Amino acid sequence: MKTLIIYYSNEGNTKIVAETIARQLGCYICQVKDLKKRKGFANKFTSTIDAFRETKTEIYPPKVDLTEFDTIYFGTPTWANNPSPAITTMIDNCNLIGKDVVLFATMSSSGGETAIEKMETKVTSRGGRVIERFTLKTKDKDKSELVRTSEAMVQSLDLKMYSH
């Protein structure tokens, strides 16, 4: 049973969470890059609109071959109560038939549950089965605190049981 974490991170918080989980589980990891500029005030505004409208974006890699993986994690920052356009696009590009899926969202203060619900709808429509989901608040947390919080989440949800 192989596990893969697919994530997008704009500010770096989701990356810290994804890398910490990957270390804890000893699994594979894939960072999705959004080829559209997302940093800066004006770009952040249009990014929020893109997330709200579930606008597709050009990503790298455009697709991931999941045939050798049984469990897939999707991780995203929360933008306007939505997953990032990069993760929305990636989920839409994946064949998830027969895959167990874990969803997680990082958020400044709120909206993560709504983002995860939208991701879950997409995952199930692509044939995946969501087996776990969680959110992590990142506001005012430094890297070491995010690592500790992520490690605690792996323990409290017993995520190791899903990857061998």
Side-chain angles (χ1 to χ4, degrees):
M1 177 187 288
K2 287 186 179 178
T3 300
L4 174 65
I5 298 173
I6 299 172
Y7 75 94
Y8 168 77
S9 187
N10 191 45
E11 302 292 328
N13 292 326
T14 308
K15 179 178 182 170
I16 292 168
V17 173
E19 289 177 347
T20 301
I21 294 168
R23 270 194 310 278
Q24 292 286 303
L25 302 181
C27 65
Y28 296 88
I29 190 166
C30 174
Q31 181 176 10
V32 176
K33 299 206 183 263
D34 191 330
L35 301 180
K36 185 174 182 179
K37 277 190 157 190
R38 298 288 181 187
K39 295 197 186 238
F41 180 75
N43 293 332
K44 190 166 187 153
F45 179 73
T46 58
S47 296
T48 300
I49 291 169
D50 286 349
F52 180 75
R53 291 182 178 163
E54 295 185 24
T55 303
K56 302 296 181 279
T57 190
E58 192 175 351
I59 58 173
Y60 183 83
K63 198 172 189 178
V64 177
D65 181 5
L66 303 176
T67 53
E68 64 183 84
F69 299 99
D70 301 303
T71 305
I72 313 298
Y73 283 63
F74 287 104
T76 185
T78 302
W79 296 354
N81 296 334
N82 288 280
S84 64
I87 286 299
T88 297
T89 302
M90 178 55 78
I91 291 171
D92 284 346
N93 291 347
C94 287
N95 177 358
L96 298 171
I97 295 172
K99 304 297 182 186
D100 288 334
V101 178
V102 177
L103 303 173
F104 68 93
T106 59
M107 60 193 175
S108 178
S109 59
S110 64
E113 275 302 318
T114 304
I116 284 179
E117 287 169 11
K118 291 178 180 186
M119 291 167 63
E120 184 167 4
T121 298
K122 287 188 166 297
V123 164
T124 55
S125 73
R126 307 278 313 145
R129 178 176 72 117
V130 176
I131 57 172
E132 189 61 78
R133 46 191 271 171
F134 60 92
T135 60
L136 286 166
K137 288 187 181 179
T138 60
K139 188 174 184 172
D140 299 328
K141 290 184 180 171
D142 63 19
K143 181 179 177 178
S144 62
E145 194 171 356
L146 274 177
V147 168
R148 282 193 305 277
T149 303
S150 302
E151 289 171 344
M153 189 65 69
V154 169
Q155 296 302 317
S156 69
L157 296 176
D158 196 16
L159 295 178
K160 289 183 181 180
M161 95 169 118
Y162 302 122
S163 62
H164 300 280

